[in-house]
Amino acid sequence: MTAAVLTGIRGMELRELPTPEITQPGDVKIRVTTVGVCGSDIHYYTTGRIGSQVIQFPYAVGHECAGIVEEVGPGVTRVKPGDRIAVDPAISCFECDQCLAGRSHTCRKLLFLGCPGQVPGCLSEYLVMPQESCYRLPQDLSLTQAALSEPLAIGVYAVHRSVPMAGAKVGILGGGPIGLCVLANAVSEGAAAVYVTDKIDDRLSMARNAGAAWTGNPDRQDVVADLSALEPLGLDVVFECCGQQSAMDEAVQMLKPGGKLMLVGIPEENRVSFSIDQLRRKEICIQNVRRQEGCVQETLDKMASGRLDVDFLVTHRFPLERVKEAFDLVAAYGDGVVKAMIDVA
């Protein structure tokens, strides 16, 4: 089969690799149709690592995908050949203390698509996954929407882990795909007002169209001062979605006493810092967000019902043979890109 492989920093090639086959009773062989380019893929592309996770080249990346079931193992009951499916890229053991406690996303033996030393990514013609990672699509959802359900589920989970949304004043720092997914969920859950910052004006325009009450560009204005003029008592919750130290500092200043800071973005640095004086005096609660837990089906259902519409996220499409062009575009934040999709089949 043809697969896209990272060959070095900013190096990517299409190579012919062995087609994966079913080896376990619960395996599902998938013909991949659609893959989204994620910010974490770009970290690996431009730096070769995320924190302690370092790529050994060559390596296949990609984890936001959807496809059609090609073949199933003898123990599979969730899906059948011909089904259109969304794929959860996490593979959990469902036996460890974390899984038994309802935290399969922090499974002790977790494997993840496109993650170094774990499972090769999905930028390929075929993929084999356990049936627990496969979700049959409602009839009205497209395969592109199925691939979008992966980042959208992170937004659903992040909102669930934050504060009650009804009547909440919400900040989102970073209006990229994850920030916009958080925005869509916050609005759908009844947030009173959502305020979004980003350094790219096209993304701010997109956020306003998606329901943001106010947007600001920290490169051109004092977003803390301008937001404080609108909300002098501070915000109930701020979602930091860009992984930048400056945004984390702004978030602490924007929060009201007793507010909650949700760390969703992935920093390139190994360490970040906070003003302990401000954290202590305000008694700020910090909640890390590790992907999502149990939100894929809820996300698909909300999309199918019309409560969540994120088709606007897709700004660019590329065939598999132009995958490097897609990665370069996303890495450069070029041409107003928000979500680039790779059409594999």
Side-chain angles (χ1 to χ4, degrees), residues 9 38-39 57 61 89 161 163 254 327 332:
I9 301 301
C38 176
F57 299 109
V61 294
R161 293 286 284 165
V163 302
M254 292 174 178
F327 271 58

Side-chain angles (χ1 to χ4, degrees), residues 142-155:
S142 69
L143 287 160
T144 294
Q145 291 168 320
L148 289 174
S149 71
E150 197 280 332
L152 189 54
I154 296 172

Side-chain angles (χ1 to χ4, degrees), residues 170 183 187 191-196 207-215 227 230-231:
V170 178
L183 168 63
V187 170
V194 184
Y195 305 94
V196 179
R208 288 191 296 273
N209 291 335
W214 171 93
T215 61
L227 187 51
L230 295 170
E231 295 290 351

Side-chain angles (χ1 to χ4, degrees), residues 269-282:
E269 299 80 9
N270 285 333
R271 289 179 178 270
V272 298
S273 63
F274 296 96
S275 166
I276 190 61
D277 182 62
Q278 291 188 60
L279 284 179
R280 183 176 62 84
R281 291 181 182 277
K282 285 187 174 183

Side-chain angles (χ1 to χ4, degrees), residues 6-342:
L6 295 184
T7 57
I9 301 301
R10 294 185 180 270
M12 178 175 276
E13 296 178 359
L14 292 184
R15 293 187 176 180
E16 289 301 311
L17 300 179
T19 301
E21 300 296 342
I22 287 173
T23 60
Q24 301 296 321
D27 282 351
V28 177
K29 185 175 181 179
I30 304 155
R31 177 164 56 86
V32 179
T33 62
T34 314
V35 179
V37 179
C38 176
S40 60
D41 301 328
I42 299 302
H43 281 303
Y44 290 131
Y45 180 64
T46 59
T47 70
R49 65 186 301 155
I50 295 178
S52 61
Q53 311 224 55
V54 181
I55 282 184
Q56 298 295 315
F57 299 109
Y59 192 72
V61 294
H63 62 270
E64 298 179 3
C65 69
I68 299 171
V69 176
E70 186 88 357
E71 182 184 353
V72 299
V76 172
T77 58
R78 285 170 62 97
V79 295
K80 65 182 184 303
D83 282 347
R84 300 176 313 125
I85 60 170
V87 178
D88 181 350
I91 303 172
S92 304
C93 73
F94 299 107
E95 296 177 348
C96 70
D97 64 319
Q98 292 295 292
C99 288
L100 296 177
R103 295 185 54 87
S104 62
H105 63 315
T106 54
C107 170
R108 303 283 185 179
K109 300 176 182 179
L110 185 72
L111 300 175
F112 195 81
L113 284 180
C115 192
Q118 297 182 29
V119 181
C122 60
L123 274 166
S124 57
E125 292 179 302
Y126 291 94
L127 177 69
V128 170
M129 292 291 284
Q131 65 171 330
E132 291 83 3
S133 293
C134 302
Y135 291 79
R136 186 183 296 112
L137 293 187
Q139 184 174 357
D140 294 336
L141 289 188
S142 69
L143 287 160
T144 294
Q145 291 168 320
L148 289 174
S149 71
E150 197 280 332
L152 189 54
I154 296 172
V156 170
Y157 177 70
V159 167
H160 283 337
R161 293 286 284 165
S162 62
V163 302
M165 280 292 110
K169 305 294 182 66
V170 178
I172 298 175
L173 308 188
I178 294 296
L180 292 170
C181 286
V182 173
L183 168 63
N185 279 281
V187 170
S188 75
E189 294 297 325
V194 184
Y195 305 94
V196 179
T197 68
D198 199 275
K199 297 180 178 182
I200 301 174
D201 289 336
D202 287 340
R203 293 184 173 187
L204 297 179
S205 176
M206 190 172 287
R208 288 191 296 273
N209 291 335
W214 171 93
T215 61
N217 187 325
D219 278 350
R220 291 204 310 271
Q221 64 193 98
D222 186 335
V223 291
V224 173
D226 291 351
L227 187 51
S228 295
L230 295 170
E231 295 290 351
L233 298 181
L235 303 179
D236 297 295
V237 60
V238 174
F239 297 85
E240 197 290 316
C241 295
C242 58
Q244 298 295 313
Q245 179 66 62
S246 58
M248 297 178 201
D249 295 337
E250 292 162 356
V252 173
Q253 296 177 69
M254 292 174 178
L255 283 163
K256 72 178 185 182
K260 194 165 189 178
L261 171 56
M262 306 294 295
L263 297 181
V264 188
I266 302 176
E268 289 190 4
E269 299 80 9
N270 285 333
R271 289 179 178 270
V272 298
S273 63
F274 296 96
S275 166
I276 190 61
D277 182 62
Q278 291 188 60
L279 284 179
R280 183 176 62 84
R281 291 181 182 277
K282 285 187 174 183
E283 197 181 50
I284 298 300
C285 175
I286 299 178
Q287 172 71 58
N288 282 285
V289 175
R290 171 61 174 161
R291 290 194 66 255
Q292 63 85 26
E293 169 58 43
C295 292
V296 176
Q297 190 61 57
E298 177 185 354
T299 299
L300 293 172
D301 291 343
K302 290 178 79 171
M303 295 173 76
S305 70
R307 290 184 62 196
L308 281 178
D309 180 5
V310 291
D311 291 346
F312 69 91
L313 291 177
V314 179
T315 55
H316 295 74
R317 304 194 79 101
F318 295 85
L320 184 60
E321 55 265 27
R322 292 172 58 198
V323 64
K324 187 179 188 307
E325 182 181 342
F327 271 58
D328 285 333
L329 178 73
V330 176
Y333 301 97
D335 194 32
V337 66
V338 174
K339 177 59 72 174
M341 307 298 292
I342 310 300

